[in-house]
Amino acid sequence: MFDPKVKGAALQAAARGDFSSLPIFRPEIECADRLTIERIQLEKLQAQVAWAYNRVPWYQKKMDDAGVSPSDIKTLRDVTKLPFTDKTALRDTFPFGLFAVPLEEVEELHASSGTTGKPIVVGYTKQDMDTWADCIMRLAQMAGVVPGDRAQMAFGYGMFTGGFGLHYGLQRLGCMMIPAGSGNTERHIDMIHDYGTTVLVATPSYAMHICEVGEQLGFDWESSTLRVGLFGGEPCPPALKAEIESRMHIVCTDNYGLTEVNGPGVSGECLASRDMQHIAEDHYLWEIIDPETGEQLPAGEEGELVLTPLDKQAIPVLRYRTHDLTRVVTEPCACGRTLARMQKVRSRSDDMLIIRGTNVFPSQVEDVLSGIEGVTTHYKILVETQNGMDKMTVLTELKPEAFSDSFDEMNKFRSNVEDKLRSVLQVSAKVKLVEPGGIERTTGKSKHVEDRRAK
């Protein structure tokens, strides 16, 4: 047995396969058999489809055009009769065209940044807020967070769903919230020391930056009170997670969500299955589809994740195409939970780069770099057109010990990285070595790709 509040105990117990002392927030749901889960999903799906049809004219027209009515949903498989929803639907109906309740019943409004057009606007009734908090409390306890923890928020508190969503759920779990917000990294480090912070909520790239700044200031992460990192907002590749856990002496877990279906809380990582995340299946019906044909794929196969929130009141969303690529398995987990697990999203169907006719995903570049000694987790992909041909340059940040005064050694190192990239990507890429700290750090999502080609 171990005490999850003791720093380092959770990781040590996970290595031994001992998960018995970590609490499960809703065992009647999280440990239910598959028939029970599917029964709950079907009842909620039928009610949600009727809710959307009867209250949202946009959905009524879409379903009428597709020749489907709420009464046609008799099994979970019947969800395939419904039309897909994508981001354009929320933008075309901006701001309140998909809302199913009067605005007087909306307790809170959130929105995406809108950097590529009209923002995505979502609303929450009191029941929606309760559901959101329930999902956050579950994923927090999967990571080893317990009532009495002190959670420091490094997300911003604007219209973005991440900050407030995690704040509300952790607070309801019984944690002390420290609403530090984003930026001012040295102040974050002071707060961890002064307030005895035990949980850090951040993007993984910003957590790594906090770690680096702390080391430069001589902060002793091993003896700090910090115990858990709750990461979201961007993918956290295994190499980055391992480095943060090693250098900050904390356990790091990812969670997944998106504004269009509620925000964070769709799934979360337990300590038994580090590359997978348990889906809150009583709140979300998942599908995996072929991104090209839209056909549903069996469990276990990789494809595009489609989500239908099962109890959203303010703004119901049916069969939302996330464009995130993953696979889902339904076998019970060693942690004791039976909820399906989705592999952590590393790439999207719409972030694929086509370089000289070859499909390239940023996650492939990330995987290659993570296996090269002397390279940090920070990188950037620059795509340009020169003389009518696509050219890809990978800016690769080196660790201090990897630098050499010898031009020949540095050139050999660079050529080695280029060879490894070419063997995986099947297309050549120029590598530019960057000194430590040369890749810009951000407090929010890291932008790894800059595509300068004419659109």
Side-chain angles (χ1 to χ4, degrees):
M1 298 290 285
F2 69 97
D3 182 353
K5 298 191 75 170
V6 174
K7 184 180 177 75
L11 278 178
Q12 294 170 14
R16 298 193 304 267
D18 174 15
F19 306 103
S20 57
S21 295
L22 279 178
I24 296 178
F25 183 69
R26 294 279 304 277
E28 72 279 11
I29 296 293
E30 297 179 71
C31 301
D33 62 75
R34 186 120 299 268
L35 285 177
T36 299
I37 293 171
E38 291 178 354
R39 176 181 54 77
I40 293 171
Q41 288 181 318
L42 180 57
E43 290 175 0
K44 287 191 172 187
L45 176 65
Q46 291 169 328
Q48 190 72 3
V49 171
W51 180 270
Y53 184 86
N54 293 327
R55 288 173 169 259
V56 183
W58 188 91
Y59 269 118
Q60 187 172 96
K61 183 178 186 307
K62 290 286 285 187
M63 290 174 62
D64 286 346
D65 289 347
V68 59
S69 67
S71 61
D72 293 325
I73 308 301
K74 296 179 170 59
T75 69
L76 289 179
R77 176 69 184 176
D78 289 336
V79 73
T80 60
K81 298 177 181 178
L82 300 171
F84 290 115
T85 306
D86 61 20
K87 192 169 291 189
T88 59
L90 288 95
R91 286 182 173 149
D92 290 347
T93 58
F94 174 87
F96 305 127
L98 289 186
F99 278 49
V101 299
L103 294 183
E104 291 77 13
E105 296 179 22
V106 176
E107 284 199 351
E108 193 153 312
L109 207 67
H110 283 277
S112 66
S113 62
T115 54
T116 58
K118 286 289 188 182
I120 300 301
V121 177
V122 293
Y124 303 79
T125 64
K126 183 182 186 307
Q127 176 182 300
D128 293 335
M129 297 296 289
D130 289 341
T131 298
W132 200 8
D134 179 76
C135 291
I136 298 300
M137 285 188 279
R138 292 191 208 181
L139 70 84
Q141 291 218 317
M142 288 182 200
V145 180
V146 292
D149 267 321
R150 304 173 191 179
Q152 185 164 317
M153 180 64 66
F155 283 149
Y157 277 94
M159 297 297 283
F160 166 60
T161 56
F164 280 108
L166 284 153
H167 182 115
Y168 295 143
L170 288 165
Q171 192 171 58
R172 193 173 295 190
L173 180 62
C175 297
M176 175 201 292
M177 290 306 302
I178 305 170
S182 60
N184 200 335
T185 304
E186 292 189 15
R187 182 172 65 97
H188 271 287
I189 296 167
D190 288 340
M191 286 181 169
I192 291 170
H193 176 267
D194 295 340
Y195 304 152
T197 302
T198 57
V199 179
L200 176 66
V201 183
T203 62
S205 57
Y206 188 54
M208 187 72 249
H209 182 53
I210 292 175
C211 174
E212 292 171 336
V213 172
E215 290 172 343
Q216 293 166 7
L217 296 173
F219 189 77
D220 185 358
W221 288 111
E222 186 171 8
S223 62
S224 79
T225 54
L226 199 64
R227 199 182 78 252
V228 177
L230 287 179
F231 297 155
E234 65 185 16
C236 183
L240 178 57
K241 174 188 285 187
E243 186 168 0
I244 295 173
E245 289 188 337
S246 173
R247 290 167 66 175
M248 295 185 84
H249 299 273
I250 62 176
V251 57
C252 305
T253 66
D254 293 339
N255 59 81
Y256 171 84
L258 55 162
T259 299
E260 296 86 340
V261 301
N262 224 30
V266 172
S267 65
E269 173 192 343
C270 72
L271 298 183
S273 186
R274 304 305 306 277
D275 191 42
M276 306 290 281
Q277 297 172 330
H278 289 279
I279 301 172
E281 288 192 275
D282 55 321
H283 296 307
Y284 299 95
L285 180 66
W286 58 268
E287 301 173 69
I288 298 295
I289 66 167
D290 183 317
E292 299 294 330
T293 67
E295 292 297 313
Q296 200 176 81
L297 299 175
E301 289 194 23
E302 182 175 271
E304 179 184 341
L305 178 67
V306 173
L307 292 170
T308 299
L310 293 172
D311 36 23
K312 283 191 73 175
Q313 286 189 330
I315 179 168
V317 181
L318 304 179
R319 300 195 80 196
Y320 185 78
R321 293 192 63 163
T322 69
H323 296 290
D324 290 327
L325 300 177
T326 185
R327 66 185 184 91
V328 177
V329 298
T330 56
E331 293 81 12
C333 180
C335 73
R337 294 175 178 85
T338 54
L339 295 176
R341 289 169 288 159
M342 58 179 278
Q343 191 159 42
K344 292 180 184 179
V345 173
R346 297 284 310 283
S347 58
R348 294 171 51 83
S349 60
D350 58 358
D351 74 359
M352 181 181 70
L353 298 167
I354 301 178
I355 309 296
R356 298 190 293 278
T358 301
N359 298 341
V360 175
F361 288 96
S363 57
Q364 293 175 296
V365 175
E366 200 167 75
D367 288 340
V368 171
L369 297 180
S370 69
I372 300 175
E373 189 173 351
V375 173
T376 74
T377 55
H378 305 288
Y379 71 95
K380 188 170 185 178
I381 301 170
L382 176 62
V383 185
E384 302 171 285
T385 301
Q386 291 186 356
N387 300 321
M389 294 286 290
D390 292 337
K391 176 187 175 184
M392 182 169 69
T393 303
V394 179
L395 281 64
T396 306
E397 185 178 291
L398 297 184
K399 296 178 179 178
E401 62 270 21
F403 268 109
S404 169
D405 293 332
S406 169
F407 174 81
D408 288 340
E409 287 187 16
M410 287 289 90
N411 193 48
K412 183 178 179 181
F413 188 97
R414 179 184 56 78
S415 296
N416 179 52
V417 178
E418 289 178 343
D419 289 343
K420 289 181 182 296
L421 285 171
R422 187 184 305 109
S423 67
V424 172
L425 305 180
Q426 299 300 304
V427 65
S428 61
K430 181 181 178 181
V431 169
K432 181 179 179 181
L433 302 180
V434 180
E435 64 184 7
I439 302 292
E440 181 183 6
R441 285 14 174 199
T442 64
T443 59
K445 295 183 181 181
S446 293
K447 184 179 179 182
H448 290 301
V449 179
E450 183 177 349
D451 194 341
R452 296 179 179 176
R453 294 174 293 185
K455 302 299 184 184

PDB file of all heavy atoms in Angstrom, residues 243-270:
ATOM      1  N   GLU A 243      11.066  13.200 -19.561  1.00  0.00           N
ATOM      2  CA  GLU A 243      12.045  14.209 -19.143  1.00  0.00           C
ATOM      3  C   GLU A 243      11.495  15.082 -18.023  1.00  0.00           C
ATOM      4  O   GLU A 243      12.201  15.379 -17.059  1.00  0.00           O
ATOM      5  CB  GLU A 243      12.433  15.079 -20.345  1.00  0.00           C
ATOM      6  CG  GLU A 243      13.558  16.050 -20.034  1.00  0.00           C
ATOM      7  CD  GLU A 243      14.140  16.708 -21.260  1.00  0.00           C
ATOM      8  OE1 GLU A 243      13.679  16.418 -22.384  1.00  0.00           O
ATOM      9  OE2 GLU A 243      15.069  17.524 -21.097  1.00  0.00           O
ATOM     10  N   ILE A 244      10.235  15.481 -18.131  1.00  0.00           N
ATOM     11  CA  ILE A 244       9.627  16.298 -17.076  1.00  0.00           C
ATOM     12  C   ILE A 244       9.551  15.512 -15.773  1.00  0.00           C
ATOM     13  O   ILE A 244       9.874  16.030 -14.695  1.00  0.00           O
ATOM     14  CB  ILE A 244       8.227  16.788 -17.496  1.00  0.00           C
ATOM     15  CG1 ILE A 244       8.339  17.741 -18.690  1.00  0.00           C
ATOM     16  CG2 ILE A 244       7.536  17.494 -16.331  1.00  0.00           C
ATOM     17  CD1 ILE A 244       6.998  18.148 -19.271  1.00  0.00           C
ATOM     18  N   GLU A 245       9.118  14.252 -15.854  1.00  0.00           N
ATOM     19  CA  GLU A 245       9.020  13.433 -14.639  1.00  0.00           C
ATOM     20  C   GLU A 245      10.378  13.263 -13.984  1.00  0.00           C
ATOM     21  O   GLU A 245      10.498  13.310 -12.751  1.00  0.00           O
ATOM     22  CB  GLU A 245       8.414  12.069 -14.973  1.00  0.00           C
ATOM     23  CG  GLU A 245       6.938  12.130 -15.306  1.00  0.00           C
ATOM     24  CD  GLU A 245       6.286  10.765 -15.455  1.00  0.00           C
ATOM     25  OE1 GLU A 245       7.000   9.785 -15.733  1.00  0.00           O
ATOM     26  OE2 GLU A 245       5.053  10.681 -15.282  1.00  0.00           O
ATOM     27  N   SER A 246      11.412  13.089 -14.799  1.00  0.00           N
ATOM     28  CA  SER A 246      12.753  12.874 -14.263  1.00  0.00           C
ATOM     29  C   SER A 246      13.329  14.142 -13.644  1.00  0.00           C
ATOM     30  O   SER A 246      13.919  14.104 -12.560  1.00  0.00           O
ATOM     31  CB  SER A 246      13.674  12.374 -15.380  1.00  0.00           C
ATOM     32  OG  SER A 246      15.014  12.307 -14.941  1.00  0.00           O
ATOM     33  N   ARG A 247      13.139  15.266 -14.316  1.00  0.00           N
ATOM     34  CA  ARG A 247      13.771  16.509 -13.863  1.00  0.00           C
ATOM     35  C   ARG A 247      12.968  17.238 -12.786  1.00  0.00           C
ATOM     36  O   ARG A 247      13.535  17.880 -11.908  1.00  0.00           O
ATOM     37  CB  ARG A 247      14.015  17.426 -15.060  1.00  0.00           C
ATOM     38  CG  ARG A 247      15.107  16.892 -15.980  1.00  0.00           C
ATOM     39  CD  ARG A 247      15.153  17.592 -17.324  1.00  0.00           C
ATOM     40  NE  ARG A 247      15.546  18.996 -17.238  1.00  0.00           N
ATOM     41  CZ  ARG A 247      15.747  19.777 -18.296  1.00  0.00           C
ATOM     42  NH1 ARG A 247      15.587  19.261 -19.523  1.00  0.00           N
ATOM     43  NH2 ARG A 247      16.092  21.036 -18.153  1.00  0.00           N
ATOM     44  N   MET A 248      11.631  17.137 -12.841  1.00  0.00           N
ATOM     45  CA  MET A 248      10.806  17.816 -11.843  1.00  0.00           C
ATOM     46  C   MET A 248      10.403  16.885 -10.700  1.00  0.00           C
ATOM     47  O   MET A 248       9.829  17.346  -9.707  1.00  0.00           O
ATOM     48  CB  MET A 248       9.551  18.405 -12.495  1.00  0.00           C
ATOM     49  CG  MET A 248       9.824  19.500 -13.499  1.00  0.00           C
ATOM     50  SD  MET A 248       8.322  20.282 -14.147  1.00  0.00           S
ATOM     51  CE  MET A 248       7.977  21.499 -12.862  1.00  0.00           C
ATOM     52  N   HIS A 249      10.650  15.585 -10.871  1.00  0.00           N
ATOM     53  CA  HIS A 249      10.325  14.587  -9.838  1.00  0.00           C
ATOM     54  C   HIS A 249       8.829  14.616  -9.511  1.00  0.00           C
ATOM     55  O   HIS A 249       8.419  14.672  -8.349  1.00  0.00           O
ATOM     56  CB  HIS A 249      11.170  14.822  -8.581  1.00  0.00           C
ATOM     57  CG  HIS A 249      12.638  14.713  -8.837  1.00  0.00           C
ATOM     58  ND1 HIS A 249      13.320  13.521  -8.791  1.00  0.00           N
ATOM     59  CD2 HIS A 249      13.553  15.667  -9.173  1.00  0.00           C
ATOM     60  CE1 HIS A 249      14.602  13.729  -9.076  1.00  0.00           C
ATOM     61  NE2 HIS A 249      14.770  15.020  -9.312  1.00  0.00           N
ATOM     62  N   ILE A 250       8.021  14.564 -10.576  1.00  0.00           N
ATOM     63  CA  ILE A 250       6.565  14.531 -10.420  1.00  0.00           C
ATOM     64  C   ILE A 250       6.003  13.464 -11.349  1.00  0.00           C
ATOM     65  O   ILE A 250       6.711  12.949 -12.214  1.00  0.00           O
ATOM     66  CB  ILE A 250       5.914  15.893 -10.753  1.00  0.00           C
ATOM     67  CG1 ILE A 250       6.181  16.272 -12.226  1.00  0.00           C
ATOM     68  CG2 ILE A 250       6.408  16.974  -9.815  1.00  0.00           C
ATOM     69  CD1 ILE A 250       5.494  17.557 -12.666  1.00  0.00           C
ATOM     70  N   VAL A 251       4.730  13.120 -11.161  1.00  0.00           N
ATOM     71  CA  VAL A 251       4.047  12.242 -12.102  1.00  0.00           C
ATOM     72  C   VAL A 251       3.264  13.135 -13.059  1.00  0.00           C
ATOM     73  O   VAL A 251       2.583  14.074 -12.639  1.00  0.00           O
ATOM     74  CB  VAL A 251       3.108  11.248 -11.382  1.00  0.00           C
ATOM     75  CG1 VAL A 251       2.085  11.967 -10.517  1.00  0.00           C
ATOM     76  CG2 VAL A 251       2.413  10.355 -12.393  1.00  0.00           C
ATOM     77  N   CYS A 252       3.404  12.889 -14.355  1.00  0.00           N
ATOM     78  CA  CYS A 252       2.742  13.705 -15.368  1.00  0.00           C
ATOM     79  C   CYS A 252       1.654  12.892 -16.063  1.00  0.00           C
ATOM     80  O   CYS A 252       1.914  11.771 -16.489  1.00  0.00           O
ATOM     81  CB  CYS A 252       3.743  14.168 -16.439  1.00  0.00           C
ATOM     82  SG  CYS A 252       5.158  15.041 -15.778  1.00  0.00           S
ATOM     83  N   THR A 253       0.475  13.456 -16.202  1.00  0.00           N
ATOM     84  CA  THR A 253      -0.586  12.786 -16.950  1.00  0.00           C
ATOM     85  C   THR A 253      -1.231  13.768 -17.917  1.00  0.00           C
ATOM     86  O   THR A 253      -1.269  14.975 -17.667  1.00  0.00           O
ATOM     87  CB  THR A 253      -1.677  12.211 -16.027  1.00  0.00           C
ATOM     88  OG1 THR A 253      -2.363  13.289 -15.374  1.00  0.00           O
ATOM     89  CG2 THR A 253      -1.087  11.272 -14.994  1.00  0.00           C
ATOM     90  N   ASP A 254      -1.723  13.222 -19.015  1.00  0.00           N
ATOM     91  CA  ASP A 254      -2.422  14.022 -20.025  1.00  0.00           C
ATOM     92  C   ASP A 254      -3.925  13.889 -19.858  1.00  0.00           C
ATOM     93  O   ASP A 254      -4.423  12.872 -19.373  1.00  0.00           O
ATOM     94  CB  ASP A 254      -2.089  13.524 -21.438  1.00  0.00           C
ATOM     95  CG  ASP A 254      -0.640  13.757 -21.814  1.00  0.00           C
ATOM     96  OD1 ASP A 254      -0.017  14.629 -21.195  1.00  0.00           O
ATOM     97  OD2 ASP A 254      -0.145  13.064 -22.705  1.00  0.00           O
ATOM     98  N   ASN A 255      -4.639  14.897 -20.297  1.00  0.00           N
ATOM     99  CA  ASN A 255      -6.084  14.776 -20.455  1.00  0.00           C
ATOM    100  C   ASN A 255      -6.471  15.389 -21.787  1.00  0.00           C
ATOM    101  O   ASN A 255      -5.716  16.161 -22.380  1.00  0.00           O
ATOM    102  CB  ASN A 255      -6.832  15.422 -19.285  1.00  0.00           C
ATOM    103  CG  ASN A 255      -6.502  16.899 -19.134  1.00  0.00           C
ATOM    104  OD1 ASN A 255      -7.049  17.746 -19.835  1.00  0.00           O
ATOM    105  ND2 ASN A 255      -5.584  17.218 -18.211  1.00  0.00           N
ATOM    106  N   TYR A 256      -7.642  15.024 -22.278  1.00  0.00           N
ATOM    107  CA  TYR A 256      -8.045  15.407 -23.630  1.00  0.00           C
ATOM    108  C   TYR A 256      -9.453  15.979 -23.625  1.00  0.00           C
ATOM    109  O   TYR A 256     -10.329  15.529 -22.890  1.00  0.00           O
ATOM    110  CB  TYR A 256      -8.000  14.167 -24.539  1.00  0.00           C
ATOM    111  CG  TYR A 256      -8.589  14.369 -25.914  1.00  0.00           C
ATOM    112  CD1 TYR A 256      -7.831  14.926 -26.945  1.00  0.00           C
ATOM    113  CD2 TYR A 256      -9.901  13.993 -26.183  1.00  0.00           C
ATOM    114  CE1 TYR A 256      -8.373  15.106 -28.220  1.00  0.00           C
ATOM    115  CE2 TYR A 256     -10.454  14.169 -27.458  1.00  0.00           C
ATOM    116  CZ  TYR A 256      -9.686  14.731 -28.460  1.00  0.00           C
ATOM    117  OH  TYR A 256     -10.226  14.904 -29.711  1.00  0.00           O
ATOM    118  N   GLY A 257      -9.648  16.959 -24.484  1.00  0.00           N
ATOM    119  CA  GLY A 257     -10.968  17.529 -24.674  1.00  0.00           C
ATOM    120  C   GLY A 257     -10.888  18.609 -25.738  1.00  0.00           C
ATOM    121  O   GLY A 257      -9.809  18.949 -26.212  1.00  0.00           O
ATOM    122  N   LEU A 258     -12.034  19.135 -26.123  1.00  0.00           N
ATOM    123  CA  LEU A 258     -12.050  20.222 -27.082  1.00  0.00           C
ATOM    124  C   LEU A 258     -13.289  21.066 -26.863  1.00  0.00           C
ATOM    125  O   LEU A 258     -14.319  20.574 -26.392  1.00  0.00           O
ATOM    126  CB  LEU A 258     -11.970  19.709 -28.522  1.00  0.00           C
ATOM    127  CG  LEU A 258     -12.971  18.700 -29.034  1.00  0.00           C
ATOM    128  CD1 LEU A 258     -12.944  18.702 -30.572  1.00  0.00           C
ATOM    129  CD2 LEU A 258     -12.637  17.284 -28.563  1.00  0.00           C
ATOM    130  N   THR A 259     -13.158  22.340 -27.155  1.00  0.00           N
ATOM    131  CA  THR A 259     -14.208  23.311 -26.876  1.00  0.00           C
ATOM    132  C   THR A 259     -15.559  22.866 -27.413  1.00  0.00           C
ATOM    133  O   THR A 259     -16.587  22.985 -26.742  1.00  0.00           O
ATOM    134  CB  THR A 259     -13.836  24.670 -27.487  1.00  0.00           C
ATOM    135  OG1 THR A 259     -12.619  25.131 -26.900  1.00  0.00           O
ATOM    136  CG2 THR A 259     -14.930  25.700 -27.255  1.00  0.00           C
ATOM    137  N   GLU A 260     -15.570  22.336 -28.637  1.00  0.00           N
ATOM    138  CA  GLU A 260     -16.828  22.049 -29.313  1.00  0.00           C
ATOM    139  C   GLU A 260     -17.689  21.025 -28.594  1.00  0.00           C
ATOM    140  O   GLU A 260     -18.918  21.013 -28.765  1.00  0.00           O
ATOM    141  CB  GLU A 260     -16.548  21.552 -30.749  1.00  0.00           C
ATOM    142  CG  GLU A 260     -15.883  22.590 -31.632  1.00  0.00           C
ATOM    143  CD  GLU A 260     -14.367  22.610 -31.520  1.00  0.00           C
ATOM    144  OE1 GLU A 260     -13.823  22.099 -30.513  1.00  0.00           O
ATOM    145  OE2 GLU A 260     -13.713  23.128 -32.437  1.00  0.00           O
ATOM    146  N   VAL A 261     -17.089  20.135 -27.806  1.00  0.00           N
ATOM    147  CA  VAL A 261     -17.885  19.106 -27.131  1.00  0.00           C
ATOM    148  C   VAL A 261     -17.930  19.297 -25.613  1.00  0.00           C
ATOM    149  O   VAL A 261     -18.538  18.500 -24.918  1.00  0.00           O
ATOM    150  CB  VAL A 261     -17.375  17.684 -27.458  1.00  0.00           C
ATOM    151  CG1 VAL A 261     -17.437  17.430 -28.954  1.00  0.00           C
ATOM    152  CG2 VAL A 261     -15.978  17.449 -26.927  1.00  0.00           C
ATOM    153  N   ASN A 262     -17.290  20.321 -25.092  1.00  0.00           N
ATOM    154  CA  ASN A 262     -17.384  20.700 -23.678  1.00  0.00           C
ATOM    155  C   ASN A 262     -16.123  21.379 -23.179  1.00  0.00           C
ATOM    156  O   ASN A 262     -16.181  22.231 -22.315  1.00  0.00           O
ATOM    157  CB  ASN A 262     -17.680  19.501 -22.758  1.00  0.00           C
ATOM    158  CG  ASN A 262     -18.731  19.830 -21.716  1.00  0.00           C
ATOM    159  OD1 ASN A 262     -19.605  20.659 -21.977  1.00  0.00           O
ATOM    160  ND2 ASN A 262     -18.650  19.219 -20.558  1.00  0.00           N
ATOM    161  N   GLY A 263     -14.955  20.966 -23.680  1.00  0.00           N
ATOM    162  CA  GLY A 263     -13.686  21.413 -23.123  1.00  0.00           C
ATOM    163  C   GLY A 263     -12.942  20.211 -22.565  1.00  0.00           C
ATOM    164  O   GLY A 263     -13.235  19.063 -22.915  1.00  0.00           O
ATOM    165  N   PRO A 264     -11.975  20.417 -21.676  1.00  0.00           N
ATOM    166  CA  PRO A 264     -11.249  19.283 -21.102  1.00  0.00           C
ATOM    167  C   PRO A 264     -12.189  18.370 -20.328  1.00  0.00           C
ATOM    168  O   PRO A 264     -13.197  18.814 -19.788  1.00  0.00           O
ATOM    169  CB  PRO A 264     -10.233  19.952 -20.164  1.00  0.00           C
ATOM    170  CG  PRO A 264     -10.831  21.292 -19.851  1.00  0.00           C
ATOM    171  CD  PRO A 264     -11.565  21.704 -21.088  1.00  0.00           C
ATOM    172  N   GLY A 265     -11.858  17.070 -20.305  1.00  0.00           N
ATOM    173  CA  GLY A 265     -12.672  16.135 -19.547  1.00  0.00           C
ATOM    174  C   GLY A 265     -13.210  14.976 -20.354  1.00  0.00           C
ATOM    175  O   GLY A 265     -13.815  14.067 -19.793  1.00  0.00           O
ATOM    176  N   VAL A 266     -12.969  14.977 -21.663  1.00  0.00           N
ATOM    177  CA  VAL A 266     -13.425  13.852 -22.477  1.00  0.00           C
ATOM    178  C   VAL A 266     -12.722  12.568 -22.049  1.00  0.00           C
ATOM    179  O   VAL A 266     -13.336  11.512 -21.919  1.00  0.00           O
ATOM    180  CB  VAL A 266     -13.170  14.114 -23.979  1.00  0.00           C
ATOM    181  CG1 VAL A 266     -13.468  12.864 -24.805  1.00  0.00           C
ATOM    182  CG2 VAL A 266     -14.025  15.281 -24.463  1.00  0.00           C
ATOM    183  N   SER A 267     -11.424  12.664 -21.804  1.00  0.00           N
ATOM    184  CA  SER A 267     -10.668  11.484 -21.374  1.00  0.00           C
ATOM    185  C   SER A 267      -9.487  11.906 -20.524  1.00  0.00           C
ATOM    186  O   SER A 267      -9.055  13.059 -20.562  1.00  0.00           O
ATOM    187  CB  SER A 267     -10.183  10.676 -22.590  1.00  0.00           C
ATOM    188  OG  SER A 267      -9.255  11.421 -23.354  1.00  0.00           O
ATOM    189  N   GLY A 268      -8.966  10.956 -19.760  1.00  0.00           N
ATOM    190  CA  GLY A 268      -7.824  11.219 -18.896  1.00  0.00           C
ATOM    191  C   GLY A 268      -6.982   9.975 -18.716  1.00  0.00           C
ATOM    192  O   GLY A 268      -7.457   8.852 -18.883  1.00  0.00           O
ATOM    193  N   GLU A 269      -5.740  10.189 -18.378  1.00  0.00           N
ATOM    194  CA  GLU A 269      -4.750   9.110 -18.258  1.00  0.00           C
ATOM    195  C   GLU A 269      -4.655   8.602 -16.825  1.00  0.00           C
ATOM    196  O   GLU A 269      -4.536   9.385 -15.881  1.00  0.00           O
ATOM    197  CB  GLU A 269      -3.392   9.658 -18.708  1.00  0.00           C
ATOM    198  CG  GLU A 269      -2.215   8.730 -18.483  1.00  0.00           C
ATOM    199  CD  GLU A 269      -0.884   9.451 -18.670  1.00  0.00           C
ATOM    200  OE1 GLU A 269      -0.862  10.536 -19.269  1.00  0.00           O
ATOM    201  OE2 GLU A 269       0.134   8.919 -18.190  1.00  0.00           O
ATOM    202  N   CYS A 270      -4.719   7.297 -16.677  1.00  0.00           N
ATOM    203  CA  CYS A 270      -4.472   6.694 -15.372  1.00  0.00           C
ATOM    204  C   CYS A 270      -2.997   6.317 -15.284  1.00  0.00           C
ATOM    205  O   CYS A 270      -2.234   6.475 -16.235  1.00  0.00           O
ATOM    206  CB  CYS A 270      -5.361   5.470 -15.153  1.00  0.00           C
ATOM    207  SG  CYS A 270      -4.878   4.039 -16.161  1.00  0.00           S
TER     208      CYS A 270
END
